[in-house]
Amino acid sequence: TDLAERLECLERLAGDSAEKRAREMRCMQERLDELQERVRQAAREVQSQQGASRGRDGEATQALLRRLEALESSLAASTARLEQTDQKVSAVAQTVSEQASSLSEHLGLERQALEAQEREVKASLARERSAREVHEGT
């Protein structure tokens, strides 16, 4: 039926969107994990350089600190994007849930209306049959 087809279409769209968002989230999580490892590595390098350059100026240390700051900034941006993607997925899931609920409710009402019509038609046919039998019996 038309409503069932619409519901299937909505379910497909929601599924496709949710799968796409899930893939994006996995990709972002992998990127986030990679950035976290890079930050840890940069921190280890900074600590190593600080130990090696205690008595001198430490330009290499400053460069590593700048690199660490850049990685931390990139990590923060990736985390924010991941949170935004998660919020989008949640919003899509909520919308689909509401639409499915609405369609289910509408389908229930349609079913009830059709059942009422069916009862009316059966009652009308029974009355007509009864009237015909009375008419043929006289």
Side-chain angles (χ1 to χ4, degrees), residues 49-116:
Q49 283 293 325
Q50 282 177 338
S53 65
R54 290 229 188 262
R56 36 183 223 260
D57 183 48
E59 273 187 46
T61 300
Q62 294 302 316
L64 287 172
L65 287 172
R66 287 190 299 274
R67 180 175 169 211
L68 179 60
E69 289 172 2
L71 287 170
E72 287 173 338
S73 175
S74 179
L75 179 61
S78 293
T79 300
R81 283 193 303 270
L82 184 60
E83 289 172 357
Q84 288 174 345
T85 299
D86 187 42
Q87 290 172 355
K88 287 177 185 177
V89 168
S90 294
V92 167
Q94 179 65 29
T95 300
V96 168
S97 176
E98 290 169 1
Q99 290 174 346
S101 177
S102 176
L103 278 174
S104 177
E105 189 176 312
H106 183 70
L107 286 172
L109 293 173
E110 286 290 322
R111 188 187 77 241
Q112 290 174 356
L114 287 173
E115 288 171 351

Side-chain angles (χ1 to χ4, degrees), residues 12-28 85 89:
R12 269 194 315 275
L13 288 173
D16 292 347
S17 180
E19 288 174 19
K20 179 181 176 186
R21 295 292 181 209
R23 283 191 304 271
E24 289 174 357
M25 287 181 67
R26 282 191 302 273
C27 182
M28 291 296 290
T85 299
V89 168

